[in-house]
Amino acid sequence: MDAETLTRPAVLILLGPPGAGKGTQARMLEDKFGLVQLSTGDLLRAAVAAGTEAGLAAKAVMEAGELVSDEIVIAILRDRMAEPDCTKGVILDGFPRTTVQAKALDDLLATSGQKVSTAISLEVEDAEMVTRISGRYTCAMCGEGYHDTFKIPAVEGKCDNCGGTEFKRRADDNAETVAARLVAYHAQTAPLITYYDAQSVLKRTDAMGQIDDIARDLEEIVGAAMS
Ligand code: AP5
């Protein structure tokens, strides 16, 4: 590896269907490796809450469980990646989700001599996803994620991360929308597994186990990618 390659920030991608644990694992990797988690879902939800033009266009599409247009998502991601903290390296959570987005990312990175470091496919079964998503909630203050069964705060009603006592559930976390999101994943996003395999940057990991066991597997993969 040459010196220039060593100094380039890592660009990691977490691929996986809704509920695979992308957000949960991305936040743990962010803490461990000092990377910045970029979730296009979070960026879009912020745009919806702020009532921006992009947010207004995205709202109904997200509530239907379909994919927001490539044009909107690529523009949001490009703007976020231009912010100074991203020079530390990024974990992309929920982007890219189509081949058009993957190519746009390659083009964007190429302008600064960068490439995708590793794309990690979180492999899970569809039936488990419905259980995971229907029990999910997050801290309203810091966004830390929880689950009614699989991840509960150490002190009931109090966020482990910030001590907040308000929690919220997402508008698109209902059985009907989850089914549509899984259809969109298999039709439009799963082909990216082949896309990154062809670039020799794909790693697969079994994401059906316990959160901490999966985190250990991912730390190994990410540690190797950053060394
Ligand atoms: P987005 O916000 O990206 O949602 P998603 O991909 O559907 O993924 P989720 O956030 O639902 O799941 P996750 O994999 O992060 O799982 P989590 O860690 O929370 O996108 C929402 C919408 O925005 C899309 O439908 C689309 O409309 C739009 N959008 C976003 N990006 C887009 C793009 N690039 N292009 C076009 N449109 C876009 O875990 C889920 C739950 O399970 C949690 O409660 C967690 O505690 C629990 N859990 C996690 N791991 C485990 C485990 N191993 N065992 C048990 N429970 C677990």
Side-chain angles (χ1 to χ4, degrees):
M1 197 180 283
D2 58 38
E4 195 193 349
T5 309
L6 277 171
T7 58
R8 281 184 198 144
V11 179
L12 304 160
I13 295 172
L14 291 185
L15 289 172
K22 302 181 296 293
T24 303
Q25 297 296 338
R27 276 186 291 278
M28 292 164 92
L29 291 169
E30 185 178 51
D31 291 346
K32 173 90 189 172
F33 292 98
L35 298 163
V36 174
Q37 174 201 12
L38 297 187
S39 156
T40 40
D42 286 348
L43 293 170
L44 287 166
R45 280 184 286 279
V48 170
T52 65
E53 199 180 321
L56 291 174
K59 188 172 186 288
V61 180
M62 292 173 78
E63 282 172 0
E66 292 164 9
L67 293 187
V68 175
S69 77
D70 289 329
E71 193 189 0
I72 288 178
V73 178
I74 290 166
I76 284 184
L77 195 273
R78 190 182 291 128
D79 287 351
R80 180 64 184 90
M81 282 192 66
E83 290 178 26
D85 61 338
C86 292
T87 54
K88 294 193 281 187
V90 294
I91 309 168
L92 299 175
D93 154 11
F95 184 95
R97 257 176 155 99
T98 64
T99 307
V100 170
Q101 292 177 20
K103 288 184 176 155
L105 176 64
D106 286 345
D107 291 346
L108 176 65
L109 294 174
T111 60
S112 53
Q114 283 178 273
K115 284 182 179 167
V116 169
S117 316
T118 302
I120 306 170
S121 169
L122 300 178
E123 316 237 310
V124 286
E125 290 160 16
D126 282 5
E128 168 84 0
M129 300 308 95
V130 180
T131 312
R132 285 192 192 175
I133 287 179
S134 52
R136 170 170 57 190
Y137 60 99
T138 53
C139 172
M141 215 146 88
C142 72
E144 182 71 12
Y146 295 97
H147 191 278
D148 290 328
T149 309
F150 305 125
K151 190 185 168 199
I152 52 175
V155 177
E156 195 185 339
K158 195 169 171 189
C159 175
D160 296 342
N161 189 44
C162 73
T165 53
E166 299 280 323
F167 296 87
K168 57 183 183 181
R169 293 185 190 253
R170 269 168 50 177
D172 59 346
D173 280 354
N174 57 74
E176 198 182 319
T177 310
V178 173
R181 284 157 64 194
L182 282 168
V183 168
Y185 172 78
H186 288 294
Q188 292 165 273
T189 309
L192 296 182
I193 294 173
T194 308
Y195 181 90
Y196 288 114
D197 202 14
Q199 291 190 6
S200 303
V201 293
L202 182 76
K203 299 281 180 200
R204 295 170 185 271
T205 195
D206 179 358
M208 288 296 292
Q210 301 292 313
I211 293 174
D212 288 344
D213 293 337
I214 299 162
R216 270 191 291 279
D217 291 346
L218 293 184
E219 276 176 24
E220 222 170 274
I221 294 171
V222 173
M226 292 181 68
S227 63

